[in-house]
């Protein structure tokens, strides 16, 4: 394994190796050569995609981000008191504002000991590590550069009761089977006495959900279409981005949002890096994301199937979003 980089109380370990860069090519080859074309949502987040996502979070129609933040602000002290958390493990460390709410509550309770950011971007890990090290006196930071879907085994043993937030509703991106598998993996890193803090969007009036993914400013459409720019740039492809339209709808049976890109006319796309040509028929769609919405029963069921007990569920007055606390059964 790579040498730890020591910066005072900050320690960063990297677990990414050669071959970790190949996922876009693999996913595109896999996803575009199937009868129902599909790509995993993680490739939406290049630099521009991340900016567009930040803009989505500020949109009037997009309620999840501000609702979750409100829930956390309201209940952070209770969460810290109930869990006795001394250590915060952050999976995908993009969300510094939400993290701060929890770290502040831990600091106020006098229990803040260690912060463990996990992210695929070494730059992100180093910058949040330094930021929080400066901001919180006496905090020690153990950074992990790696993919939280593959490198959780490399987390250090808990330094005390551990809190593992997985916020934003990102768990909704996993289809049901892998969702439970992922949750089971999270259960293993909690250790005895640790808690998972899970953010999930809730099932509600489909019009409210659909509006959040079809905003009037068209930012979500830009975010979705940006995926084709990513593929054009990274894989030398020639998608005619203007010949695709953003589609998002709530699947009432499966209780999830689907985002798709619809080809408005037939086209043949060449992907230089894969030496591949892909045909799109007129009106053919490419699925780019599912985002599951939960009922309390489904949440409890998924947690139970992963060996976790729901201990507390915090929500907002309109029951738009939930933040739940779970521990190993
Ligand atoms: C980051 C996965 C929680 O599903 O609401 C926002 C991503 N996609 N608008 C979500 C997203 C379209 C977001 N998650």
């Amino acid at each position: 394994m790579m040498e730890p980089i020591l910066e005072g109380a900050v320690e960063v370990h990297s677990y990414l190796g050669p071959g970790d860069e190949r996922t876009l090519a693999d996913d595109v080859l896999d996803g575009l050569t199937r009868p129902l074309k599909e790509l995993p949502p993680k490739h939406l987040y290049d630099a521009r995609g991340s900016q567009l996502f930040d803009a989505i979070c500020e949109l009037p129609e997009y309620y999840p981000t501000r609702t979750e933040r409100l829930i956390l602000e309201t209940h952070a002290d209770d969460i810290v008191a109930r869990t006795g958390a001394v250590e915060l493990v952050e999976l995908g460390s993009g969300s510094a504002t939400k993290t701060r709410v929890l770290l502040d509550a831990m600091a106020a309770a006098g229990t803040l000991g260690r912060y463990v950011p996990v992210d695929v971007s070494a730059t992100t890990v180093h910058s949040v590590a330094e930021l929080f090290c400066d901001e919180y006196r006496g905090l020690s930071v153990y950074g992990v550069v790696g993919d939280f879907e593959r490198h959780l085994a490399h987390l250090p043993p808990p330094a005390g009761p551990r809190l593992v937030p997985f916020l934003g509703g990102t768990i909704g991106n996993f289809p049901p089977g892998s969702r439970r598998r992922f949750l089971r993996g999270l259960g293993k890193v909690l250790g005895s006495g640790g808690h998972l803090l899970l953010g999930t969007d809730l099932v509600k009036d489909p019009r409210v959900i659909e509006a959040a993914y079809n905003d009037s400013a068209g930012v979500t459409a830009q975010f979705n279409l940006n995926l084709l720019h990513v593929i054009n740039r990274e894989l030398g492809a020639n998608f005619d981005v203007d010949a695709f339209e953003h589609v998002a709808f709530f699947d009432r049976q499966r209780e999830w949002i689907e985002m798709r890109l619809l080809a408005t006319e037939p086209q043949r796309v060449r992907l230089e890096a894969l030496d591949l040509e892909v045909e799109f028929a007129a009106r053919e769609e490419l699925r780019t994301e599912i985002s599951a919405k939960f009922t309390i029963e489904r949440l409890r069921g998924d947690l139970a199937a992963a060996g976790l007990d729901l201990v507390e569920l915090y929500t907002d007055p309109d029951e738009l979003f939930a933040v739940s606390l779970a521990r190993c059964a």
Side-chain angles (χ1 to χ4, degrees), residues 108-128:
T111 56
L112 180 59
R114 186 163 70 165
Y115 172 59
V116 184
V118 183
D119 202 280
V120 279
S121 155
T123 320
T124 301
V125 172
H126 283 275
S127 57
V128 297

Side-chain angles (χ1 to χ4, degrees), residues 2-77:
M2 261 143 265
E3 284 295 293
I5 304 151
L6 292 166
E7 310 163 18
V10 179
E11 197 177 321
V12 176
H13 299 257
S14 180
Y15 299 96
L16 291 180
D20 283 312
E21 305 308 319
R22 272 208 58 80
T23 61
L24 177 67
D26 289 345
D27 291 344
V28 168
L29 180 59
D30 243 41
L32 294 191
T33 56
R34 305 182 189 174
L36 292 169
K37 297 183 175 64
E38 172 167 29
L39 288 172
K42 66 175 171 192
H43 304 300
L44 291 162
Y45 301 88
D46 68 336
R48 176 149 184 273
S50 301
Q51 277 176 4
L52 287 166
F53 178 66
D54 289 345
I56 287 173
C57 293
E58 303 292 323
L59 292 169
E61 296 96 334
Y62 194 75
Y63 58 85
T65 311
R66 61 170 174 274
T67 309
E68 184 183 55
R69 192 186 308 129
L70 182 76
I71 297 169
L72 286 176
E73 284 166 358
T74 309
H75 300 287
D77 292 338

